[in-house]
Amino acid sequence: MSIEQDVVSLFHETYGGEPDIVVRAPGRVNLIGEHTDYNGGFVLPMAINRAMYIAVRYMGGEMVELVSGDFHHSAKFNLNDFEYQNPHWCEYIKGVAHALKQRGLPLKGWEGAMMGNVPRGSGLSSSAALELAAAKAFSEVSDFNWDPVDMAVVGQEAENNWVGVNCGIMDQMISSCAQAGHAYLLDCRSLEGQQVPLPEGLKIVILDTATRRGLVDSAYNERREQCEEAAAFFGCELLRDVSPEQFEARAEELPELTRKRARHVITEDVRTLAAAEAMRKGDGETLGRLMDESHISLRDDFEVSNDALNRMVAIARSQPGCLGARMTGAGFGGCAVALVKEGFEDAFTETVVARYKEESGLEPAVYVTEATQGAMRL
Ligand code: ADP
Ligand code: MG
């Protein structure tokens, strides 16, 4: 059975009767453009074939009632009187309701059954999928206009201000704005995006190292500070505004660490734009090479990789049909992403899993994925 059917069954078992609609919003993987978002630069994510689904019945009134099939748990809250409780899955939905109410949108109540197959906490953004699915449910039930960019901001506000996680805007933008078969070149400063078709004959494969980032908030904040410092040296607010030529001309004057951090961000923006261009031309070889270069830059200059990610990338890279591979996400654990020629993906998956297990003793997860549509009513 499909997850869409499962969520309808869960609805039926929980509330009796049928839902009026089912909504879906996807998780994502970033193909290239890492640690560029907070520097006002470019990212190139795509929505994956794993998503959050909510089966919804319009109720009117003030109550939202929910059941989570994945947590075997139910919750409800009053739209006109709710507060933050424990940090758990329902807080994401309340956070979305809160952000929508702040926009003055009149919200109506609903009953919902939810299930998702975005792995949680793997860096594929199950949280953005949940936020955008909730926003979609509210927009259908309350019948307000769906503005994809504004709804992405709603999701981010829910996560930043209600749940209390300091995330950027990329995850919500791609979960909201994605077009099937395309990646999305996003300018993180203007929030302008362009749909970029994925070339034919290529597969995007996600490789979860089964390592998770530990206490890395301090490392993350340190990177941000180093980037700000470098931008200030060049008289700019954001590294986005420092051209490679400007950087090269004065790089020697920077302390080594600041120089390395800035070099990653400045060259990564160039690679990300070049990757989008390569995709438009159907040039998988170039796209793969740029992904390889991105990994090396993240490993050596930005220093946010770890042994597991480096091992996974090296194993992936040595397989037939693999055009490129890199760590994806903030780093220090989580997933890598590989570009693989169609037809090679099954053998690739089998060998990479076996070799990674043998070398690391860890059990990896591999997802051969497809670029799917952003938040929608099915
Ligand atoms: P990720 O990298 O997957 O976004 P986060 O820690 O940001 O990890 O978000 C995970 C949280 O999102 C979970 O702890 C849960 O509260 C919520 N969530 C994700 N998937 C589901 C789901 N299928 N059902 C209910 N809540 C979910
Ligand atoms: Mg998240």
Side-chain angles (χ1 to χ4, degrees):
M1 263 206 327
S2 72
I3 186 157
E4 186 183 345
Q5 290 167 319
D6 288 341
V7 84
V8 171
S9 304
L10 175 68
F11 186 97
H12 184 78
E13 286 158 27
T14 310
Y15 305 109
E18 299 300 315
D20 292 308
I21 58 166
V22 179
V23 296
R24 170 193 187 276
R28 64 96 186 93
V29 64
N30 191 22
L31 300 178
I32 194 164
E34 219 64 75
H35 287 278
T36 46
D37 55 350
Y38 52 84
N39 289 295
F42 297 94
V43 293
L44 187 61
M46 77 177 219
I48 59 174
N49 58 355
R50 289 175 168 264
M52 169 59 75
Y53 295 76
I54 313 181
V56 176
R57 183 156 64 195
Y58 301 9
M59 299 301 285
E62 303 184 325
M63 296 304 295
V64 174
E65 278 200 56
L66 298 156
V67 60
S68 160
D70 301 309
F71 287 95
H72 306 286
H73 198 260
S74 56
K76 62 177 163 187
F77 64 95
N78 185 316
L79 282 167
N80 293 318
D81 180 21
F82 61 91
E83 55 189 35
Y84 185 85
Q85 283 164 326
N86 296 314
H88 82 323
W89 56 272
C90 187
E91 295 313 309
Y92 290 84
I93 307 218
K94 286 186 195 164
V96 167
H98 182 73
L100 292 170
K101 283 183 69 170
Q102 281 189 324
R103 282 164 173 68
L105 294 167
L107 300 183
K108 293 182 185 154
W110 43 282
E111 288 173 337
M114 43 196 267
M115 286 171 109
N117 59 358
V118 185
R120 291 185 288 278
S122 300
L124 302 178
S125 213
S126 66
S127 58
L130 173 52
E131 289 146 16
L132 268 298
K136 195 72 192 175
F138 276 113
S139 92
E140 292 290 329
V141 171
S142 312
D143 200 22
F144 59 79
N145 181 44
W146 179 264
D147 175 328
V149 175
D150 193 40
M151 289 303 118
V153 175
V154 161
Q156 186 195 22
E157 286 173 7
E159 190 145 347
N160 290 170
N161 306 337
W162 191 271
V163 181
V165 177
N166 185 18
C167 60
I169 188 68
M170 169 171 73
D171 302 356
Q172 288 80 8
M173 281 296 285
I174 184 67
S175 185
S176 182
C177 302
Q179 206 174 302
H182 293 70
Y184 194 64
L185 177 65
L186 176 64
D187 178 330
C188 293
R189 184 168 57 188
S190 67
L191 294 192
E192 274 163 28
Q194 290 171 35
Q195 304 290 347
V196 186
L198 275 167
E200 298 276 305
L202 296 175
K203 288 282 179 193
I204 303 296
V205 184
I206 299 167
L207 307 161
D208 188 340
T209 61
T211 60
R212 294 290 174 260
R213 46 196 189 128
L215 292 169
V216 295
D217 281 1
S218 56
Y220 180 80
N221 291 334
E222 188 191 74
R223 296 300 183 285
R224 289 187 74 140
E225 278 163 25
Q226 290 162 338
C227 290
E228 281 166 25
E229 213 178 291
F233 171 82
F234 288 100
C236 297
E237 200 179 320
L238 295 163
L239 275 180
R240 149 75 183 271
D241 293 316
V242 180
S243 71
E245 294 73 29
Q246 264 175 296
F247 173 74
E248 283 307 328
R250 294 190 60 196
E252 290 307 315
E253 297 169 46
L254 283 166
E256 195 195 346
L257 211 53
T258 318
R259 179 167 68 234
K260 283 165 65 173
R261 303 303 189 241
R263 186 164 58 206
H264 166 70
V265 173
I266 292 165
T267 58
E268 185 78 351
D269 270 337
V270 174
R271 280 187 292 273
T272 304
L273 292 170
E277 199 46 43
M279 278 174 65
R280 288 198 183 97
K281 289 185 182 147
D283 181 355
E285 302 281 340
T286 300
L287 178 59
R289 180 175 52 74
L290 291 162
M291 289 169 73
D292 289 342
E293 288 173 10
S294 169
H295 184 76
I296 291 165
S297 178
L298 286 158
R299 185 190 66 194
D300 298 344
D301 275 348
F302 217 63
E303 298 181 279
V304 290
S305 192
N306 71 354
D307 290 347
L309 284 164
N310 294 337
R311 173 175 284 131
M312 186 66 100
V313 165
I315 295 170
R317 223 32 217 97
S318 65
Q319 302 309 309
C322 180
L323 298 177
R326 57 181 287 273
M327 58 157 277
T328 182
F332 306 106
C335 293
V337 60
L339 185 68
V340 178
K341 284 191 199 159
E342 202 171 328
F344 286 84
E345 65 272 18
D346 292 342
F348 174 87
T349 300
E350 200 177 313
T351 318
V352 170
V353 167
R355 279 202 40 200
Y356 182 78
K357 252 166 93 165
E358 189 183 299
E359 287 186 24
S360 68
L362 296 166
E363 189 76 45
V366 176
Y367 311 105
V368 178
T369 193
E370 271 158 52
T372 67
Q373 192 72 20
M376 65 187 289
R377 173 181 169 169
L378 296 174

